[in-house]
């Protein structure tokens, strides 16, 4: 990757995220890849035809406006809430992402966080590792099989979570922007209504303005009222979807029983108050982070970039950019 305009062949691509080692060799062999650097951006901007981004990248309108030759923004991730799609379209550029190939991993992690939180797996590991077992058993945990799961966002990943929950004999209900009459699960019209009948509330919507703090104090209070045991929140969507301050209050005050969180408002910073809570299981945004899935995502992101820069239709444009 170079920081200045190079004399290599191939279209010029701006990498706003560091390309994964699974992708970097092919990117560098095919394109003139430039790291985003404010010091050199003005010099290379007129030549930039593609952007490589990750699911957490920010590509604001101010950046897009500086790139008159931009044709494609290829996101290696399914979420693209950091990309100003309207500005890209106004520039005539297509935005692509990597849906479906990560459904299994993110759904697996959601189930893993449900089990980890209910059965206190991190605490159980510490109980053995730190030598507490000879002094006595752990407190009893909570059963997951047969419980009620409410899924907030029944899209590609939400449906994969529902399928897995059936294997645990769970009762599945959901909320989304619209009901899915073809699917066998119960639709509820709001996150609060769903939380009130859920032992586990699993959040798996996109981020962005449409879902900002969708899980607020009212939803958490409803989750707390769902049973005498109180409900558990799982978030594998985006940190922005949950009001993190309200969540910490709810956990500290015992309004809900616990939480399993893969995503946070201000990653990679996680508030000390949250990290101090024993009833919370925390993972560092690893929903799609297996070698197999990251390879599939890298392949799809590369194909999209290559096709787009060859003037051909990309494999997986975001819905707003589909013809
Ligand atoms: P998807 O197929 O587009 O599904 C999104 C679902 O969210 C749809 O059911 C949609 O409702 C629903 N939704 C959208 N806005 C909503 C709102 N305001 N209120 C309630 N429901 C709403 O997306 P996906 O492929 O399943 O991915 C979902 C998200 O997961 C991604 O956007 C990304 O942010 C996140 N993700 C996280 C990780 C991780 O590492 N933790 C990895 C991958 C993805 P309709 O069906 O009615 O439109």
């Amino acid at each position: 990757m170079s920081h200045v305009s190079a004399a290599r062949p191939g279209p010029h691509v701006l990498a706003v995220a560091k390309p994964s080692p699974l992708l970097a060799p092919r990117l560098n062999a095919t394109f003139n890849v430039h790291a985003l650097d404010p010091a050199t951006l003005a010099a290379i901007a007129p030549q930039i035809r593609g952007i490589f981004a990750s699911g957490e990248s920010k590509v604001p309108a101010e950046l897009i406006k500086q790139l008159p030759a931009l044709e494609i923004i290829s996101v290696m991730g399914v979420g693209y809430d950091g990309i100003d799609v309207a500005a890209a379209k106004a520039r005539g550029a297509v935005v692509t992402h990597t849906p479906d190939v990560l459904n299994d991993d993110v759904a697996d992690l959601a189930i893993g966080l449900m089990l980890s939180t209910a059965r206190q797996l991190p605490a159980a590991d510490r109980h053995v590792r730190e030598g507490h077992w000879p002094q006595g058993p752990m407190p009893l945990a909570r059963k997951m099989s047969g419980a009620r799961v409410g899924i907030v966002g029944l899209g590609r990943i939400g449906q994969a979570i529902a399928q897995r929950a059936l294997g645990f004999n769970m009762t599945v209900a959901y909320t989304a922007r619209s009901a899915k009459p073809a699917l066998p699960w119960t639709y509820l019209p709001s996150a609060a209504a769903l939380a009130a009948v859920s032992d586990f509330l699993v959040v798996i919507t996109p981020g962005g303005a449409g879902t900002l703090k969708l899980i607020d104090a009212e939803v958490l209070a409803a989750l707390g009222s769902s049973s005498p045991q109180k409900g558990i929140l799982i978030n594998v969507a985006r940190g922005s979807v949950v009001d993190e301050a309200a969540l910490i209050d709810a956990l500290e005050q015992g309004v809900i029983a616990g939480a399993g969180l893969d995503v946070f408002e201000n990653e990679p910073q996680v508030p000390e108050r949250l990290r101090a809570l024993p009833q919370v299981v925390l993972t560092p945004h690893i929903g799609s982070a297996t070698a197999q899935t990251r390879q599939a995502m890298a392949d799809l992101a590369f194909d999209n970039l290559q096709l787009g820069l060859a003037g051909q239709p990309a494999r997986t444009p975001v819905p707003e950019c589909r013809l």
Side-chain angles (χ1 to χ4, degrees), residues 56 77-81 97 99-100 102-103 106 109 152-159 175-180 204-207 210-211 214 235-238 262-263 285-289 294 319:
E56 288 91 63
V78 67
Y80 54 96
D81 41 291
H97 63 157
D100 288 316
L102 40 60
N103 295 352
V106 185
L109 184 72
V152 182
L154 197 73
R156 290 171 290 249
I157 301 170
Q159 290 178 42
T175 191
R177 287 177 297 194
S178 60
K180 324 279 169 215
I204 185 63
T205 63
T211 55
L214 180 68
N235 186 10
V236 288
R238 285 285 184 266
D262 186 47
V263 287
H285 202 149
I286 55 168
S288 65
R294 285 288 166 83

Side-chain angles (χ1 to χ4, degrees), residues 269-290:
Q269 305 305 324
V270 177
E272 177 54 39
R273 280 170 66 201
L274 197 51
R275 287 191 279 141
L277 293 167
Q279 70 275 41
V280 173
V281 177
L282 306 167
T283 52
H285 202 149
I286 55 168
S288 65
T290 67

